[in-house]
């Protein structure tokens, strides 16, 4: 599949966004080991700021550029699962913790709901 990069968004010929989602995923997966190492060394408020600076900003940028509106939920779930994992690491939660609690603690939303929220806010 051919694609080009424009404003840090990978645009493929079919506009399926698979290359871009894989690109973001590969960027964010690097934070798992980093977050494991720093989660016991920094206060929770600092960890929250780090999450919003390094993870949430990447997810939100794709939403702002309307990338996630035109993709399949299967592709998008890849980012959602990774985001849940990163939130669990930072918040010292087990894999059995419901994702609702993770997002409520950080006052944010999962990728699908974040997209709906951003679009309702923009077009309201």
């Amino acid at each position: 599949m051919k694609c080009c990069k424009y404003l840090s968004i990978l645009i493929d010929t079919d506009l399926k966004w698979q290359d871009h989602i894989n690109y973001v995923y590969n960027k964010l997966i690097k934070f798992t080991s980093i977050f494991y190492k720093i989660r016991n060394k920094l206060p929770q408020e600092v960890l929250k700021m780090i999450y919003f600076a390094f993870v949430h900003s990447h997810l939100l940028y794709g939403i702002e550029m309307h990338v996630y509106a035109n993709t399949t939920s299967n592709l998008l779930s890849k980012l959602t699962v990774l985001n849940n994992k990163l939130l669990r690491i930072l918040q010292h939660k087990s894999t059995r913790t419901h994702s609702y609690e993770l997002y409520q603690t950080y006052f944010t939303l999962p990728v699908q709901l974040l997209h709906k929220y951003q679009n309702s806010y923009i077009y309201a």
Side-chain angles (χ1 to χ4, degrees):
M1 194 178 316
K2 291 184 178 181
C3 68
C4 68
K5 192 173 192 179
Y6 182 70
L7 297 174
S8 295
I9 300 288
L10 292 174
I11 304 169
D12 60 276
T13 55
D14 298 330
L15 294 177
K16 301 247 187 239
W17 307 109
Q18 183 173 359
D19 291 329
H20 178 72
I21 289 173
N22 288 334
Y23 172 72
V24 172
Y25 180 86
N26 289 331
K27 256 186 167 179
L28 297 181
I29 194 76
K30 296 172 187 173
F31 289 108
T32 53
S33 63
I34 295 168
F35 286 175
Y36 272 119
K37 291 174 185 173
I38 66 170
R39 72 180 184 169
N40 294 322
K41 296 176 177 29
L42 298 171
Q44 196 54 234
E45 281 303 310
V46 174
L47 293 173
K48 186 176 177 179
M49 286 189 276
I50 289 171
Y51 167 79
F52 279 100
F54 293 105
V55 177
H56 193 263
S57 60
H58 285 296
L59 297 174
L60 197 59
Y61 186 67
I63 291 169
E64 295 288 333
M65 300 301 283
H66 298 284
V67 169
Y68 306 138
N70 299 324
T71 190
T72 64
S73 59
N74 192 24
L75 274 175
L76 205 52
S77 70
K78 185 177 182 176
L79 289 179
T80 303
V81 169
L82 179 58
N83 192 36
N84 291 349
K85 180 177 183 170
L86 293 171
L87 286 170
R88 281 189 179 93
I89 292 168
L90 290 175
Q91 296 178 31
H92 298 271
K93 302 291 183 180
S94 73
T95 55
R96 302 182 119 202
T97 305
H98 196 279
S99 60
Y100 174 79
E101 182 183 330
L102 301 171
Y103 291 101
Q104 188 177 26
T105 303
Y106 274 24
F107 300 107
T108 188
L109 296 167
V111 178
Q112 294 92 341
L113 293 178
L114 202 56
H115 178 263
K116 287 180 184 180
Y117 174 77
Q118 286 295 109
N119 284 336
S120 66
Y121 179 71
I122 291 170
Y123 298 116

